[in-house]
Amino acid sequence: MTQSWEGFDGFTELIDYPMFVVTARAGNETAGCLVGFTTQASIDPPRFLVGISKKNHTFTVAAAATHLGVHLLARDDLELARWFGGQTGDEVDKFAACSWH
């Protein structure tokens, strides 16, 4: 099968990466974002690396949190991925518009 793509963006659009949302809570503040980079970091002990941009609102909350939630999204969770990836926690309470516990 031949695909047409141009440049780096066209190439990366062809790759079918899994999508993850990371969530954090520190004190009374919650935050979450669509993750741009993840990878398994070790087998024993089992560790999973999640990259969060320092410019992201979630970074500050995550840095103060004791634990992070890393949520693997199903293919049909596209709207949830758009919500957590397209909004900033500086302006919007992302958790007010979705079901969570």
Side-chain angles (χ1 to χ4, degrees), residues 5-15 17:
W5 55 273
E6 194 166 315
F8 183 76
D9 290 340
F11 171 73
T12 58
E13 287 176 7
L14 296 175
I15 301 171
Y17 291 112

Side-chain angles (χ1 to χ4, degrees), residues 1 5 7 13-15 17 20 26 28 37 41 44 46 63 65 69 84 88-89 92 98-100:
M1 178 166 93
W5 55 273
E13 287 176 7
L14 296 175
I15 301 171
Y17 291 112
F20 295 88
N28 291 327
F37 178 78
D44 188 19
F84 275 89
T88 174
V92 174
C98 59
S99 176
W100 67 280

